[in-house]
Amino acid sequence: MKDYDVIIIGGGVAGGLPAAAYLQKAGARVLIVDALQELGHHVKTNEVWPGVLWTPCAAGSFIGNSPAMADLDLENYGVNLKLSPRGTGITFPNHKSLFIAPYDIDGTCADIARFSEKDAERARGILERYVEKIIDFNDLCFYSIPTPEKQEKMIEMAAYVWGVDVESFREMNAFELVETVFESDEVQQTFMCVAGVQTLGDIGEPCQGAFAAVAWIMVIPGQLVGGNHNLAHAYIRIFLEHGGTIFRNCPVEDIIVENGVAKGIKIHDDAVVNGGETIMAKNAVITNAGVPESFRMIGEENLTKADPALAQRMKYWDMASRASFVSLWVLKEFPKWKSMQWNPNISKMDFFYKGWESIEHGKRWHMAQKSGDTYGALGGICEAVMHQVTDETAASEEGYVSLRVEEVLPFYWRERGGGSGKADIEMWDEKRDEILEKQTDMFADLIENFRDLILEKYSITPLDLWRGDRAGVAGNGVGGSYTGNQWMLERMPYRMPIQNLYCCNGVWPIQLSWGAGGYNVACAVAEDMGIRDQSWWKAKPVEWTLQNLGRLLVEKNPYWVE
Amino acid sequence: MTGAQNEYDAIVIGGGPNGLTCGSYLAKAGANVLLLEKKWETGGGLATDDFQTPFRFNLHAIYMMMAELMPPYDDFDLANNNVEFIRPETQMAFHYDDGKALVFYTDPKKSAESIAKFSTEDAKVFEKMYAEFKQICDEILIPATYVHPIPALDNVELLEETELGKRCVEVSEQSPESMLDFYGFKDPRVRGALLYISTMWGLDPDSTSVGYMIPLYVYRMLNASIVAGGSHTLSSALNTPFKANKGHIIECADVTKIIVENNKTRGVRLADGREFFGKVVVSTLNPEQTFLKCIEEEEIHDEDVVDAAKLWKWEGRSFFTAHFGIKGNAPEFKAAAFNPDVNIALVHVFGFETEGDVKRHIAEVSEGKVGKPAGHFTCTTQFDPFQASPGPYGPLHTLRYETWASYEIDGKHWDEMKHDYRQQCYDMIGRYSTNLGEAKLLFKFAHSPLDIERRLHTMKKGSIKHGEYDALQMGYLRPNEDCSRHRTPIEGLYLAGASSYPGGMILLGSGYLASNVVAEDLGLDKWWTPPDYIGKAQEKGYIPS
Ligand SMILES: Cc1cc2nc3c(=O)[nH]c(=O)nc-3n(C[C@H](O)[C@H](O)[C@H](O)COP(=O)(O)OP(=O)(O)OC[C@H]3O[C@@H](n4cnc5c(N)ncnc54)[C@H](O)[C@@H]3O)c2cc1C
Ligand SMILES: Cc1cc2nc3c(=O)[nH]c(=O)nc-3n(C[C@H](O)[C@H](O)[C@H](O)COP(=O)(O)OP(=O)(O)OC[C@H]3O[C@@H](n4cnc5c(N)ncnc54)[C@H](O)[C@@H]3O)c2cc1C
């Protein structure tokens, strides 16, 4: 048996894989252990219909934000990033649309002016400050371990970008922020759409809601040519090339803690390899397994001894208020969006949203979501992805394309009326087709002859997502819900109160394909091991993408309508 | 792509099992190797996908006939690289409408006991045949799989020199059908079952041209294993030595041209215009792709090679494979009342009562008819819990049903029939099962022969072995006599795919053999030694030295 300096439990692209690649390249001897065979579970690409690719979970690739693009030379390992020149935005139920492209401030403001001249002026200021601050913002807020001092600075910077004074900013939720700044309902929705799916902050909470709206425009949505799983491939390649070891199909039973120090792991008896064995790590055990599973592996007793408050928070960590439901359709031809008449740029959108009926609907949706009313929350904001728009290789030779939609819902089925009523988790197995039909109706409302285009369709429920990846309890793919007490400093610590134990799931900022958690935990471990000082480990986030922007922005694509 | 280097010692085209094998041997021998794969994922026929559901579906290859016998297993220490072959003792159950079942085991004695319930005489015949098949395979045919072929006549001459060799030649003269009489099987069900086993991978019942495949299929399909975690685990394991030895992989790389100048291979060009140069190019593509599409005809000086590629025959029969994810217990079967072991069989065969059924079905499929989906079935999770999620809210089971199907079908288009036929497959399992009706069907997927071709361009017309197995396309003639030893008449061009010797299925044979000759020609250090069984067969004079 080899000796390891670092053991990483869970090889996802948000946490484990980037951490592994950085640390192994920095000279640590790293072992990745995963219960699954295929690493990068949430960025897996597949083709249910031959030739038509999709990445059902992390359908938007945010790796353009990561310093790893430069530090690890990801492009040379197969990460071929493409960006839509129109950024991201919404197609509304009223068949209008609006997109925000920080790469084209004039064009964006002209589009906004069709809704409101005044909003266009406001937006120009925001986008200009965005360009000024995007690297610093990412550096301070995402690719760095949060501290109370940093939190203050983050809020100041966010308020600055939005042109709002800090004191008011602290009092505002996302709705209030956009309503203060903009007058048009559509513009308001568009500027909070990505935050609308309840990540980086609860949109209904003061301060974190406003912060989430700002933070999300700092994330650059893109696509990897040939599917987003190529990101996992790249990390694995770098990792193996530098001598790393991977155990697949290998669930971890326990993290071994002795006298307040994490020593290693015990592998589950049924594992395909090394079943029942104990494996030691000299310097670090990093868990990327999600909070509930990490809690189980570390053990309540060990945690309570180390930090009773953290033990309690982990025990009651909320995963369930933010569950993802994914629907997938293979279409015979590129859909004609009804909003095309309003603005043909919808045809250039790879990563976008179907809006609420109105911002008021958004508020109602948020109430239903918070109170756990799954029925009431159905039909809210949806995240839509059409890979083919920026990656034509994702279409089949016949020109078939795919549409993937994610809706965020509370996990426990309850009677209407909120918190009361019996929870019924297996309802997901019963309701799957019904929800898929509802969503099909929703998109039939947005696309001409949608039903006639469908060759194949299926859906993946939150329960399926949980079953598929034990880190994604309750179908929560972001490391835990963003609620009042699961935000920023109150997310999981990177350095756990147990010596040599680290965590990169459930941490600030969020589990995304951008690998911020993995980057940050790698920094922490490398510092503690004294190997942080590497000539190649120096890039700032987003820098690489800005330097290469010209060739990353797609210039033409057969599906675009001018 | 920035910075990507474009000069290599060797370029391997295609990241299927054979391409990965070849790449790994060469990379470990110190060569600077580039592997180019058209899809975003390597593995080719070793594909396991969950479609983001809690189930792992083996889209193509599932039954491993050679498993630990494949040279890379030891050479790359695959046992310590996440690979475990699971080989259930109860191998195959043939289910009949009257509730009976014929069951085969890894242990021929137990198979004979099961056969005896139908015919005591056939039971004895089976034991004799099995023992003979086993010996012929272990001592001759398996070793021969991993050495370069010699011309058929020379081979016969060589074999005629020994007793076992002579018997091997005699047996090899049979067709799947005549083999039944050759040994003297009587019972219609026993005959039907054995005919199914020897024809399930594409041999025609009356084809005498590759009779030596019959012992291999019968012996190895009754010792079949599945890869723990899914077939793709083997692909990942073959990736590891490649990457660990600094092999470079580019996925989403569609090779459209092999650059040949003055009969010398220079490199390759991709559909997107990128070019890469190498001292040698190893193609795992099919002959049509390699010799007709990727190389200009005037650049190939050897007409025979071009002609052979033009005349290349695809397989007449392909598969329709249906995948299901259920919530509920693993299927149990009506025939368990007759023999309880059917509930723990790796492979279940439905819809074939007699030898006649097998022949009729093959004839129908060959004519492009889409009949009832008689075929074989496996519940992978029954043997390997990793192929579905442990829950919560299970149990969850992964079912795979496969039935012969033709690429071209009467009147209709596969895309229009797929959903309906998939349902028929599910119903077929249900007909023989006692409890499938209680399970909840959560997910269903299927691939038609057309889909196989669209997924893997090597498998034209759904040809799972990259080309028919017949006398003119096998052994020393696969894909033609100038190329079957993996070098080609074009300097620096080598073949390593299923269309070269020894052929298709998960053998890793062509990739292994190709790396041997490439290593020699590049003057690399051959760090590996052939498996012991090869040395023994050579000592006994069964295979060429
Ligand atoms: C429906 C959905 C849509 C999403 N959309 C996007 C998007 O558009 N863009 C984006 O960037 N992100 C998106 N995300 C989020 C993102 O994809 C994931 O959060 C991220 O990829 C998760 O990576 P990870 O490293 O945190 O963990 P995971 O990929 O979940 O990895 C955790 C690993 O730990 C393993 N593990 C857990 N417990 C054990 C154990 N005991 N022993 C061994 N192994 C264990 C698991 O098997 C798993 O492989 C989405 C997520 C979902 C679910
Ligand atoms: C439905 C089905 C079931 C099967 N079941 C079994 C089974 O149970 N047991 C068994 O042993 N075998 C089985 N097989 C057969 C087995 O999978 C194949 O024979 C085997 O995969 C051949 O290996 P290969 O490496 O030669 O080629 P392939 O596996 O075909 O790999 C070739 C690779 O080349 C790539 N490629 C194609 N064109 C290009 C290009 N222009 N440029 C770059 N790359 C390219 C392909 O994408 C592919 O990855 C099955 C096959 C199918 C389809």
Side-chain angles (χ1 to χ4, degrees):
Chain A
M1 184 78 49
K2 278 203 227 168
D3 288 329
Y4 301 102
D5 303 321
V6 179
I7 296 176
I8 299 179
I9 306 167
V13 292
L17 278 177
Y22 267 99
L23 290 170
Q24 184 75 39
K25 186 170 172 182
R29 294 164 305 170
V30 183
L31 166 70
I32 303 174
V33 186
D34 203 301
L36 297 170
Q37 127 68 27
E38 200 64 25
L39 306 184
H41 179 75
H42 277 137
V43 284
K44 277 221 304 272
T45 301
N46 72 59
E47 46 171 358
V48 162
W49 196 277
V52 185
L53 305 192
W54 55 36
T55 303
C57 284
S61 184
F62 304 142
I63 192 61
N65 282 61
S66 171
M69 285 307 304
D71 288 344
L72 301 180
D73 191 14
L74 288 180
E75 194 179 35
N76 201 24
Y77 289 87
V79 172
N80 189 356
L81 178 66
K82 291 290 166 201
L83 308 175
S84 162
R86 303 314 316 164
T88 187
I90 302 191
T91 181
F92 294 98
N94 64 9
H95 304 149
K96 292 183 181 173
S97 64
L98 179 59
F99 310 107
I100 307 173
Y103 329 111
D104 175 10
I105 296 181
D106 288 344
T108 301
C109 290
D111 283 350
I112 296 175
R114 295 173 71 189
F115 293 93
S116 156
E117 292 278 353
K118 192 169 137 246
D119 287 356
E121 270 322 294
R122 292 277 178 100
R124 182 177 296 277
I126 293 175
L127 292 174
E128 281 168 1
R129 289 188 295 276
Y130 161 95
V131 173
E132 177 197 333
K133 288 290 180 202
I134 182 164
I135 293 181
D136 291 345
F137 193 96
N138 272 270
D139 198 27
L140 173 69
C141 302
F142 303 147
Y143 294 91
S144 127
I145 296 177
T147 60
E149 303 77 59
K150 284 188 200 164
Q151 175 166 347
E152 287 309 300
K153 287 203 187 121
M154 290 187 212
I155 293 166
E156 276 166 28
M157 200 185 284
Y160 165 78
V161 169
W162 220 262
V164 175
D165 75 86
V166 187
E167 287 322 306
S168 329
F169 190 89
R170 278 186 213 283
E171 301 302 316
M172 286 182 203
N173 67 27
F175 295 106
E176 287 159 353
L177 177 72
V178 294
E179 282 175 328
T180 307
V181 177
F182 299 114
E183 60 179 15
S184 148
D185 190 296
E186 285 90 350
V187 182
Q188 289 167 357
Q189 283 196 55
T190 307
F191 270 85
M192 66 173 288
C193 63
V194 195
V197 291
Q198 285 289 60
T199 42
L200 282 176
D202 180 343
I203 49 176
E205 290 279 331
C207 194
Q208 59 168 280
F211 186 87
V214 183
W216 267 110
I217 64 168
M218 298 292 174
V219 180
I220 303 169
Q223 294 292 320
L224 302 190
V225 173
N228 294 342
H229 203 233
N230 283 301
L231 175 60
H233 296 183
Y235 285 132
I236 293 168
R237 205 165 291 164
I238 295 161
F239 180 67
L240 292 176
E241 194 176 289
H242 288 90
T245 308
I246 304 172
F247 290 174
R248 299 169 187 269
N249 301 307
C250 188
V252 174
E253 183 62 31
D254 286 316
I255 294 174
I256 300 167
V257 179
E258 282 166 14
N259 306 322
V261 184
K263 296 281 189 190
I265 57 168
K266 172 155 186 308
I267 292 174
H268 196 282
D269 287 342
D270 297 340
V272 169
V273 281
N274 306 316
E277 283 182 28
T278 297
I279 301 184
M280 296 301 176
K282 236 175 78 201
N283 298 82
V285 174
I286 304 176
T287 170
N288 183 37
V291 179
E293 182 70 355
S294 299
F295 179 79
R296 189 195 63 72
M297 289 187 292
I298 305 164
E300 186 166 0
E301 212 186 300
N302 285 327
L303 275 163
T304 308
K305 237 187 266 164
D307 181 345
L310 180 66
Q312 285 307 295
R313 284 206 295 128
M314 287 179 75
K315 186 169 181 181
Y316 297 110
W317 192 254
D318 176 8
M319 301 290 282
S321 56
R322 191 200 178 278
S324 296
F325 186 98
V326 179
S327 294
L328 298 146
W329 296 270
V330 177
L331 306 175
K332 259 185 235 166
E333 52 188 71
F334 192 80
K336 288 196 186 60
W337 296 90
K338 292 184 184 164
S339 68
M340 207 89 96
Q341 299 213 320
W342 170 261
N343 184 345
N345 281 339
I346 175 75
S347 69
K348 298 183 181 171
M349 301 311 300
D350 54 355
F351 181 89
F352 58 107
Y353 290 80
K354 176 212 79 90
W356 291 301
E357 305 285 334
S358 62
I359 205 89
E360 287 307 315
H361 175 211
K363 291 177 191 168
R364 287 200 305 279
W365 174 85
H366 176 254
M367 300 279 273
Q369 192 259 339
K370 288 296 282 183
S371 67
D373 178 359
T374 312
Y375 295 93
L378 276 168
I381 194 165
C382 294
E383 186 184 282
V385 171
M386 295 204 64
H387 301 281
Q388 292 78 13
V389 166
T390 39
D391 172 18
E392 51 183 293
T393 70
S396 75
E397 279 168 17
E398 301 90 337
Y400 300 162
V401 298
S402 61
L403 172 65
R404 164 274 191 199
V405 166
E406 180 193 0
E407 190 169 344
V408 170
L409 298 164
F411 182 67
Y412 298 112
W413 285 89
R414 295 184 205 278
E415 300 297 322
R416 221 171 248 286
S420 62
K422 185 169 136 272
D424 184 357
I425 294 171
E426 280 186 284
M427 186 75 99
W428 288 112
D429 290 336
E430 307 302 320
K431 290 276 181 188
R432 166 205 316 279
D433 293 337
E434 194 184 315
I435 300 176
L436 177 61
E437 279 314 300
K438 265 207 170 114
Q439 294 192 333
T440 308
D441 282 342
M442 214 150 67
F443 280 82
D445 226 33
L446 300 175
I447 293 170
E448 314 262 6
N449 303 324
F450 182 54
R451 284 186 178 276
D452 298 341
L453 302 181
I454 300 171
L455 280 169
E456 183 79 89
K457 59 179 178 197
Y458 74 104
S459 56
I460 306 160
T461 71
L463 178 54
D464 296 328
L465 290 170
W466 179 4
R467 286 161 167 162
D469 174 354
R470 60 189 83 197
V473 168
N476 188 311
V478 293
S481 314
Y482 285 77
T483 60
N485 57 359
Q486 287 185 189
W487 187 66
M488 209 174 282
L489 296 173
E490 289 176 300
R491 287 191 83 78
M492 289 291 292
Y494 282 95
R495 289 185 177 89
M496 294 288 284
I498 292 167
Q499 204 190 321
N500 288 2
L501 183 62
Y502 299 78
C503 174
C504 62
N505 194 323
V507 291
W508 176 262
I510 176 181
Q511 307 308 114
L512 286 182
S513 59
W514 66 359
Y519 178 85
N520 292 338
V521 86
C523 290
V525 173
E527 274 164 24
D528 295 352
M529 286 178 70
I531 54 170
R532 173 65 181 81
D533 198 13
Q534 304 284 337
S535 62
W536 50 267
W537 191 341
K538 59 178 190 305
K540 290 238 186 248
V542 187
E543 216 170 39
W544 183 92
T545 302
L546 293 184
Q547 278 161 8
N548 293 284
L549 194 60
R551 59 193 184 85
L552 302 181
L553 290 171
V554 178
E555 277 172 10
K556 58 180 196 320
N557 176 289
Y559 302 107
W560 291 2
V561 178
E562 291 301 331
Chain B
M1 208 147 290
T2 56
Q5 171 198 359
N6 65 1
E7 295 268 357
Y8 294 87
D9 293 329
I11 297 174
V12 179
I13 310 174
N18 282 313
L20 289 169
T21 300
C22 183
S24 285
Y25 275 98
L26 297 178
K28 195 169 169 187
N32 184 13
V33 189
L34 172 67
L35 189 146
L36 298 165
E37 166 55 46
K38 188 174 188 331
K39 300 186 84 71
W40 75 93
E41 183 80 50
T42 54
L46 290 171
T48 306
D49 208 320
D50 62 3
F51 300 127
Q52 217 67 30
T53 75
F55 304 91
R56 297 191 202 173
F57 304 109
N58 293 299
L59 305 184
H60 304 307
I62 172 169
Y63 310 113
M64 302 292 136
M65 287 187 256
M66 292 303 197
E68 299 89 342
L69 295 169
M70 302 187 287
Y73 182 77
D74 282 338
D75 291 344
F76 295 118
D77 192 17
L78 295 186
N80 282 313
N81 190 0
N82 298 314
V83 175
E84 186 200 340
F85 293 107
I86 298 171
R87 182 174 293 107
E89 207 186 310
T90 308
Q91 286 268 317
M92 269 185 141
F94 288 78
H95 297 246
Y96 303 114
D97 282 345
D98 63 2
K100 292 188 178 167
L102 180 54
V103 184
F104 292 90
Y105 304 79
T106 49
D107 178 355
K109 286 221 157 32
K110 292 186 78 175
S111 302
E113 281 165 27
S114 168
I115 295 171
K117 294 186 183 176
F118 295 82
S119 155
T120 47
E121 258 177 68
D122 281 0
K124 286 191 207 116
V125 176
F126 175 82
E127 278 198 275
K128 172 169 178 273
M129 178 187 80
Y130 185 91
E132 204 160 66
F133 280 6
K134 177 172 167 22
Q135 196 189 1
I136 291 174
C137 289
D138 286 344
E139 297 189 29
I140 304 177
L141 295 173
I142 293 171
T145 306
Y146 299 104
V147 295
H148 292 282
I150 55 174
L153 286 178
D154 299 350
N155 207 14
V156 171
E157 212 170 281
L158 179 76
L159 288 172
E160 292 287 358
E161 284 170 21
T162 56
E163 274 313 299
L164 190 67
K166 262 192 212 137
R167 187 63 180 165
C168 178
V169 172
E170 259 172 54
V171 167
S172 301
E173 279 160 3
Q174 303 307 313
S175 69
E177 201 181 344
S178 70
M179 190 75 82
L180 303 171
D181 296 325
F182 181 78
Y183 281 97
F185 288 100
K186 297 269 163 28
D187 184 87
R189 287 177 169 178
V190 178
R191 288 175 68 96
L194 290 171
L195 189 63
Y196 188 84
I197 300 174
S198 47
T199 55
M200 70 184 281
W201 299 112
L203 296 190
D204 280 332
D206 58 359
S207 154
T208 49
S209 59
V210 287
Y212 59 90
M213 290 307 302
I214 303 166
L216 278 170
Y217 284 149
V218 171
Y219 170 44
R220 295 319 298 171
M221 267 316 286
L222 296 182
N223 287 277
S225 58
I226 57 174
V227 187
S231 303
H232 195 66
T233 306
L234 180 55
S235 163
S236 300
L238 289 170
N239 259 277
T240 304
F242 185 68
K243 290 171 184 164
N245 289 290
K246 312 260 187 292
H248 199 79
I249 294 189
I250 303 180
E251 284 131 351
C252 312
D254 182 7
V255 176
T256 49
K257 185 155 169 61
I258 297 171
I259 305 166
V260 177
E261 282 163 16
N262 302 325
N263 206 39
K264 208 169 163 341
T265 313
R266 296 269 168 229
V268 300
R269 185 176 308 138
L270 309 187
D272 61 16
R274 278 181 284 171
E275 288 184 348
F276 299 96
F277 300 94
K279 292 181 196 148
V280 309
V281 171
V282 184
S283 170
T284 69
L285 307 184
N286 67 44
E288 185 182 285
Q289 289 175 299
T290 304
F291 294 114
L292 304 182
K293 290 206 170 131
C294 290
I295 309 179
E296 301 291 336
E297 195 168 332
E298 60 268 19
E299 282 164 359
I300 307 177
H301 302 309
D302 187 327
E303 278 168 33
D304 294 346
V305 170
V306 176
D307 288 346
K310 284 184 180 162
L311 294 173
W312 190 250
K313 270 196 350 213
W314 307 107
E315 288 155 86
R317 247 183 302 146
S318 178
F319 284 122
F320 182 95
T321 314
H323 305 277
F324 306 102
I326 61 164
K327 180 166 75 173
N329 292 319
E332 290 178 356
F333 295 94
K334 293 176 183 164
F338 179 76
N339 181 346
D341 286 350
V342 295
N343 282 340
I344 51 167
L346 174 66
V347 186
H348 301 264
V349 183
F350 305 129
F352 299 97
E353 297 282 322
T354 62
E355 179 188 355
D357 280 350
V358 179
K359 284 195 259 180
R360 240 186 326 275
H361 197 58
I362 290 176
E364 264 179 29
V365 169
S366 308
E367 286 163 23
K369 293 209 176 69
V370 183
K372 72 170 177 183
H376 49 260
F377 162 78
T378 288
C379 171
T380 42
T381 36
Q382 218 181 336
F383 311 97
D384 176 16
F386 279 90
Q387 300 206 31
S389 157
Y393 302 98
L396 303 179
H397 281 288
T398 307
L399 318 184
R400 183 184 189 278
Y401 191 88
E402 191 162 68
T403 168
W404 292 322
S406 149
Y407 174 82
E408 273 146 44
I409 49 171
D410 265 0
K412 285 221 169 159
H413 194 276
W414 268 121
D415 289 354
E416 283 151 24
M417 315 224 358
K418 192 153 88 174
H419 291 172
D420 183 45
Y421 207 54
R422 180 174 75 191
Q423 186 58 41
Q424 288 184 42
C425 290
Y426 194 67
D427 296 344
M428 191 78 181
I429 311 165
R431 262 185 59 193
Y432 293 88
S433 162
T434 50
N435 64 345
L436 191 63
E438 295 155 24
K440 185 163 180 63
L441 178 55
L442 295 180
F443 290 98
K444 41 189 193 285
F445 301 99
H447 287 114
S448 70
L450 176 61
D451 293 335
I452 294 175
E453 173 189 82
R454 292 190 290 203
R455 280 183 49 84
L456 297 174
H457 289 230
T458 36
M459 297 186 183
K460 189 166 176 190
K461 301 206 174 205
S463 202
I464 71 161
K465 305 190 291 305
H466 299 190
E468 184 83 299
Y469 278 12
D470 73 16
L472 296 177
Q473 299 194 166
M474 277 305 269
Y476 191 69
L477 298 180
R478 194 167 185 86
N480 59 60
E481 59 183 331
D482 297 324
C483 302
S484 62
R485 295 168 67 91
H486 306 92
R487 294 184 179 94
T488 71
I490 300 172
E491 198 186 324
L493 179 67
Y494 298 79
L495 300 185
S499 60
S500 61
Y501 184 85
M505 312 300 286
I506 307 303
L507 311 177
L508 312 183
S510 3
Y512 173 76
L513 289 170
S515 33
N516 278 286
V517 292
V518 174
E520 276 164 28
D521 292 359
L522 284 180
L524 301 172
D525 168 33
K526 265 213 223 171
W527 53 270
W528 63 96
T529 48
D532 290 347
Y533 57 69
I534 288 185
K536 281 189 195 140
Q538 282 169 334
E539 258 167 46
K540 291 188 177 170
Y542 296 147
I543 58 171
S545 298

